[in-house]
Amino acid sequence: MRQLLLDFTQAPAPTFANFVPGGNAELLHVLQAAARGECPERVLYVWGESGAGKSHLAKAFGASTSGRPGHRVIDGIERFSDAEQVALFNDFNERNFEFLLVTASASPRDVALRRDLATRLATGLTYRVAALTDAEKRAALAAHAKVRGFDLSEDVSSYLLTHARRDMRSLMAALDALDRYSLETGRPVTVPLLKAAIQ
């Protein structure tokens, strides 16, 4: 059953509505404004630890701006090759985009990129995505469970936070897998079911 917990296939699509902001309410507000074309800045650089929500926000932004030409999203800029970095630097100089959202694992000063490109990326707004507190993670898990059609008890969310990987991506994937296991076995979502699913 361990493989079941790694199945991400049925997770709901990331949207602004299903992002739990926690300490990131200002960032969420700025992204929503940018998606509407109401951000005065040309670049928004979002960074933080793995699983904090950067990719969720990037996908939500991409989905909400799919009809707006000139809006670009780059999720994980540090994975760009040298050639891609040069091309993006040239796009800056030639003003080939109206708005650019970039996510990274480190700040512009510390990211593993060409310095000239990192400097350009730092010219707009920069936000660090704050990880959720345990209470906010519990609230996010409960809201996600409601979307999937079941109530999540406090003891199940506590067990998940104690025994699973603690980043939100892993917690949500575990919850999705637990829901599928519950449906397959016809048993309610409880700590004993969670223990059975993990083993």
Side-chain angles (χ1 to χ4, degrees), residues 3-196:
Q3 272 188 326
L4 186 63
L5 289 177
L6 299 176
D7 184 0
F8 293 86
T9 56
Q10 294 184 11
T15 65
F16 290 139
N18 64 19
F19 179 76
V20 176
N24 302 300
E26 182 182 338
L27 168 59
L28 181 60
H29 175 74
V30 168
L31 277 171
Q32 289 170 322
R36 294 189 303 268
E38 299 169 2
C39 182
E41 298 293 336
R42 189 170 166 229
V43 180
L44 180 56
Y45 185 99
V46 177
W47 67 281
E49 64 189 46
S50 176
K54 301 181 305 291
S55 291
H56 183 119
L57 290 171
K59 288 174 184 169
F61 182 82
S64 64
T65 60
S66 60
R68 294 183 72 96
H71 282 60
R72 288 179 62 185
V73 181
I74 300 171
D75 189 20
I77 185 75
E78 62 273 356
R79 294 187 296 267
F80 262 31
S81 68
D82 286 342
E84 289 171 317
Q85 291 180 47
V86 169
L88 183 57
F89 180 78
N90 291 336
D91 285 345
F92 262 98
N93 293 335
E94 296 164 13
R95 301 188 69 80
N96 286 337
F97 55 84
E98 290 176 34
F99 184 84
L100 175 66
L101 170 64
V102 173
T103 72
S105 58
S107 69
R109 183 187 65 194
D110 299 323
V111 71
L113 292 175
R114 296 167 46 110
R115 285 298 89 205
D116 54 359
L117 177 57
T119 301
R120 289 285 192 283
L121 293 172
T123 59
L125 294 174
T126 299
Y127 283 91
R128 181 175 187 179
V129 181
L132 297 178
T133 65
D134 281 358
E136 290 164 345
K137 287 178 182 179
R138 282 190 180 90
L141 288 168
H144 190 69
K146 276 224 181 302
V147 167
R148 293 190 70 96
F150 69 96
D151 289 321
L152 185 69
S153 67
E154 185 69 26
D155 57 338
V156 172
S157 63
S158 293
Y159 191 90
L160 272 172
L161 283 168
T162 306
H163 295 90
R165 290 183 56 191
R166 296 176 54 79
D167 65 277
M168 285 309 298
R169 183 184 306 129
S170 298
L171 288 168
M172 291 298 187
L175 189 62
D176 290 342
L178 181 61
D179 180 34
R180 285 190 299 278
Y181 188 60
S182 168
L183 293 171
E184 289 168 7
T185 60
R187 294 168 56 194
V189 175
T190 60
V191 171
L193 181 75
L194 177 55
K195 289 179 179 177

